[in-house]
Amino acid sequence: EAQVTQNPRYLITVTGKKLTVTCSQNMNHEYMSWYRQDPGLGLRQIYYSMNVEVTDKGDVPEGYKVSRKEKRNFPLILESPSPNQTSLYFCASSLTVMNEKLFFGSGTQLSVL
Amino acid sequence: KQEVTQIPAALSVPEGENLVLNCSFTDSAIYNLQWFRQDPGKGLTSLLLIQSSQREQTSGRLNASLDKSSGRSTLYIAASQPGDSATYLCAVYYSGAGSYQLTFGKGTKLSVIP
């Protein structure tokens, strides 16, 4: 089944403890991206990747890192999480950067205490 | 900076009614516009994608139109059903200073009453 898989689904952590949220797609998509969704602010793009080893900042990249060493994986890294990074995170992918529908993962609810 | 606005924020209609959701964007230099559906606690599902050169796209009971020059898009849902209840979001791809950013509206929460 074609899908975007995020793990974990729920995560509770403490301030400053490094964490990684994984994202994997099995559709051979070139484009992958990360978003956070907050009440009243909607969905905002964090980082995106147009292909392996090619990443760029979205609207809210501060406090986040990404890497794209393989086509199928695009992990989101929080080196030193803070409470303002408590949010619902989504990973998405599409065949190419613009002209294809985006496929979303089921989301990761992160709480930073 | 691109801004995307969706009006209304919430809409409640009786089953069977035809309805229109609105999306507007401030920068007309877009590559495409997508409409998504989000069910509570779940990810987004892409419904329709309209390229910047297109005027509309249709899928079943859904029809999306795009007027790039005026910065507007509408999503028309015919003969609404309770299963259509969800939040609908629009998003535009645009090129800002050589990057390819995707900007979302905050969504319209639709409730279809049986």
Side-chain angles (χ1 to χ4, degrees):
Chain A
E1 179 187 358
Q3 59 185 0
V4 178
T5 303
Q6 287 180 237
N7 281 298
R9 183 74 175 89
Y10 301 94
L11 179 59
I12 300 174
T13 190
V14 295
T15 299
K17 186 176 182 181
K18 181 179 178 180
L19 66 91
T20 299
V21 184
T22 63
C23 175
S24 178
Q25 49 89 8
N26 62 0
M27 296 169 280
N28 201 35
H29 284 174
E30 290 184 350
Y31 180 84
M32 298 185 75
S33 52
W34 277 102
Y35 307 84
R36 60 178 291 174
Q37 186 173 35
D38 301 287
L41 296 177
L43 268 159
R44 294 177 292 168
Q45 190 177 45
I46 304 172
Y47 269 96
Y48 63 92
S49 170
M50 294 170 64
N51 214 323
V52 176
E53 303 291 2
V54 181
T55 63
D56 206 348
K57 297 176 181 178
D59 288 327
V60 288
E62 297 79 17
Y64 304 95
K65 286 178 59 177
V66 293
S67 68
R68 187 92 181 272
K69 293 184 170 59
E70 306 168 281
K71 199 170 189 178
R72 63 181 292 128
N73 296 321
F74 190 45
L76 180 69
I77 302 159
L78 285 71
E79 294 270 2
S80 184
S82 62
N84 64 12
Q85 293 179 297
T86 292
S87 186
L88 179 57
Y89 290 87
F90 288 102
C91 178
S93 72
S94 62
L95 188 59
T96 59
V97 65
M98 289 181 296
N99 296 326
E100 304 286 338
K101 288 185 176 182
L102 267 178
F103 290 81
F104 276 77
S106 299
T108 295
Q109 180 64 58
L110 172 65
S111 295
V112 183
L113 305 178
Chain B
K1 181 182 175 181
Q2 179 76 269
E3 293 183 1
V4 179
T5 302
Q6 291 187 246
I7 295 173
L11 180 64
S12 184
V13 300
E15 182 178 1
E17 190 163 299
N18 303 325
L19 60 100
V20 174
L21 306 180
N22 296 294
C23 172
S24 62
F25 46 94
T26 55
D27 189 336
S28 62
I30 65 169
Y31 291 107
N32 63 44
L33 183 146
Q34 281 191 70
W35 282 93
F36 296 88
R37 168 187 174 134
Q38 185 175 25
D39 293 287
K42 296 190 177 180
L44 282 71
T45 300
S46 181
L47 299 172
L48 291 164
L49 182 149
I50 311 177
Q51 304 291 356
S52 61
S53 58
Q54 297 175 322
R55 296 285 293 184
E56 65 179 304
Q57 282 286 326
T58 298
S59 176
R61 294 183 293 108
L62 306 179
N63 175 277
S65 67
L66 174 64
D67 184 342
K68 200 172 72 163
S69 61
S70 68
R72 294 180 182 180
S73 176
T74 61
L75 178 66
Y76 174 83
I77 302 177
S80 59
Q81 303 170 358
D84 294 330
S85 297
T87 297
Y88 292 80
L89 299 101
C90 67
V92 296
Y93 263 121
Y94 74 109
S95 177
S99 64
Y100 299 93
Q101 296 191 356
L102 183 63
T103 300
F104 283 84
K106 294 180 181 178
T108 294
K109 185 175 183 179
L110 173 65
S111 298
V112 181
I113 312 301

